[in-house]
Amino acid sequence: MAKESILITGACGQIGSELALSLRQKYGNAAVVVSDVRAPQGELAEGPFEKLDVNSEKDFERLYEQYKFTQIYHLAALLSASGEKNPLFTWQLNMNSLLYVLELARQHNIKIYWPSSIAVFGPETPANHTPQHTVITPRTAYGISKLSGEHWCKYYHERYGVDVRSIRYPGLISYKTPAGGGTTDYAVDIYYKAIEEGQYECFLSQDTYLPMMYMPDAIRATLELMEATSERVKNRWAYNLAGLSFCPTQVAAEIQKVIPDFTVTYKPDFRQKIADTWPNSIDDHDAQTDWGWKLEYDLPKMTEDMIKNLRTKLKNKVS
Ligand code: SER
């Protein structure tokens, strides 16, 4: 295996904190530089860390000179719900940083992973089994930045041969690092509240279906896409990934199988409007045929794993 030098931006976030550990397992701790605006904690701190402001092109160049990266996983971004609080800043942060990364990749032949999202879709998009290629009309600043980013990735690939790969992640569910600032975050919060308080007030309505995925599947998908041979990666915008499709009452019912007294009330807030513009479920036929993607966790299997691991984590926190 060729020697890799890997940078992860936004590495302390929900995806980064788990992806970094998987990459370190594969390539060794020293080969994976985690970067963020805050310092890493726990296991994540056992390896190189660099404070990085992704809004600074100079910072990227300085780090490149130091580490000569061969791969960058550019995860830093503002998500859908927090993005709506400051749309212009969301655009600047999400877009400028991607362009800095793509430019660095063009100049130094770096392989890039950049996440897109179901937020690229809009109310005009077919809501069920949303196809890979369809009407794409985002309504959030985050979604607009992800759609534009997909086009820039494709552009850098076609024009300059940059090896850039991307997935449109559904809402991601994990017991390790909490989600932050997304519309799909309820599907993480609900598990914490079920264990800690036995009740949850949901910010989406009970019948709001959204595409979701358990983090181990999302991490595996990311690594599998990055490891696929170039010829198999036929899509250089971003791949649809289906994952699961459920609404709050369904996840609540699944939790109640383990915690029978758990109750949920519903008080939709501004995030409902965002969720209403997103698909219910996704078609990921292309990911399956191009690079062999296959989902492992369904809702019952994920729920069982989430509750088991969260109980241990929360018990250790108080004792
Ligand atoms: N989980 C993200 C969000 O809710 C979607 O990509 O913003």
Side-chain angles (χ1 to χ4, degrees):
M1 199 182 342
K3 203 168 171 319
E4 299 287 347
S5 172
I6 299 173
L7 172 68
I8 308 178
T9 72
C12 295
Q14 194 201 14
I15 305 169
S17 56
E18 296 198 34
L19 185 63
L21 297 185
S22 297
L23 287 168
R24 281 183 169 167
Q25 222 166 39
K26 193 169 159 53
Y27 296 104
N29 281 18
V32 181
V33 178
V34 302
S35 72
D36 208 305
V37 283
R38 54 199 155 124
Q41 306 289 321
E43 237 185 312
L44 201 57
E46 294 166 15
F49 164 71
E50 293 286 345
K51 197 165 178 201
L52 171 69
D53 172 5
V54 295
N55 259 323
S56 161
E57 192 167 17
K58 283 206 163 53
D59 273 14
F60 274 110
E61 283 164 357
R62 175 181 56 80
L63 284 187
Y64 177 77
E65 284 314 315
Q66 194 178 339
Y67 291 98
K68 307 288 185 207
F69 300 117
T70 56
Q71 296 183 37
I72 299 178
Y73 292 74
H74 178 39
L75 308 179
L78 277 176
L79 297 189
S80 62
S82 38
E84 288 313 281
K85 294 182 184 147
N86 198 340
L88 290 184
F89 179 64
T90 302
W91 170 260
Q92 280 156 9
L93 181 99
N94 293 1
M95 288 313 300
N96 288 348
S97 62
L98 173 61
L99 291 171
Y100 299 152
V101 167
L102 288 171
E103 262 304 289
L104 211 59
R106 179 182 73 78
Q107 289 162 26
H108 304 290
N109 193 25
I110 306 168
K111 187 170 177 179
I112 304 298
Y113 179 79
W114 175 79
S116 186
S117 160
I118 52 162
V120 295
F121 300 119
E124 293 80 9
T125 304
N128 296 318
H129 306 292
T130 302
Q132 177 70 52
H133 300 288
T134 185
V135 181
I136 300 188
T137 50
R139 290 298 201 280
T140 58
Y142 172 67
I144 295 170
S145 73
K146 288 296 177 188
L147 175 57
S148 308
E150 286 189 9
H151 285 284
W152 276 113
C153 288
K154 174 85 170 160
Y155 182 90
Y156 267 74
H157 176 71
E158 285 189 344
R159 173 122 195 229
Y160 304 118
V162 171
D163 188 354
V164 51
R165 304 170 183 210
S166 179
I167 286 171
R168 289 174 182 152
Y169 287 131
L172 298 179
I173 296 156
S174 157
Y175 63 87
K176 289 189 180 157
T177 306
T183 302
T184 55
D185 292 8
Y186 93 83
V188 178
D189 302 344
I190 195 168
Y191 287 100
Y192 277 84
K193 285 287 193 300
I195 293 168
E196 290 180 314
E197 296 173 22
Q199 57 185 32
Y200 178 57
E201 185 177 273
C202 185
F203 60 76
L204 296 183
S205 69
Q206 57 182 32
D207 52 358
T208 304
Y209 278 82
L210 285 171
M212 300 279 185
M213 183 176 280
Y214 197 32
M215 190 62 88
D217 273 331
I219 298 294
R220 187 170 52 81
T222 307
L223 298 177
E224 285 176 11
L225 174 62
M226 285 299 272
E227 283 159 16
T229 56
S230 229
E231 310 75 66
R232 298 191 75 176
V233 186
K234 300 197 175 80
N235 174 332
R236 298 294 179 151
W237 284 287
Y239 276 97
N240 275 9
L241 270 202
L244 313 169
S245 165
F246 58 75
C247 64
T249 42
Q250 286 175 319
V251 62
E254 212 48 56
I255 293 172
Q256 281 157 351
K257 288 184 188 163
V258 189
I259 307 172
D261 295 338
F262 177 50
T263 56
V264 185
T265 53
Y266 295 91
K267 199 172 169 202
D269 66 14
F270 73 101
R271 288 169 280 195
Q272 181 68 45
K273 258 178 114 169
I274 299 175
D276 287 342
T277 69
W278 289 355
N280 302 330
S281 62
I282 302 285
D283 180 312
D284 64 5
H285 180 262
D286 285 10
Q288 292 181 39
T289 50
D290 287 2
W291 43 279
W293 167 243
K294 200 166 179 293
L295 188 75
E296 194 183 313
Y297 284 88
D298 60 11
L299 179 57
K301 193 169 166 194
M302 173 181 81
T303 300
E304 199 185 303
D305 203 61
M306 273 295 282
I307 293 178
K308 187 178 83 196
N309 283 294
L310 259 187
R311 273 183 168 153
T312 309
K313 177 179 163 177
L314 296 172
K315 201 160 90 201
N316 290 342
K317 205 173 88 183
V318 283
S319 58

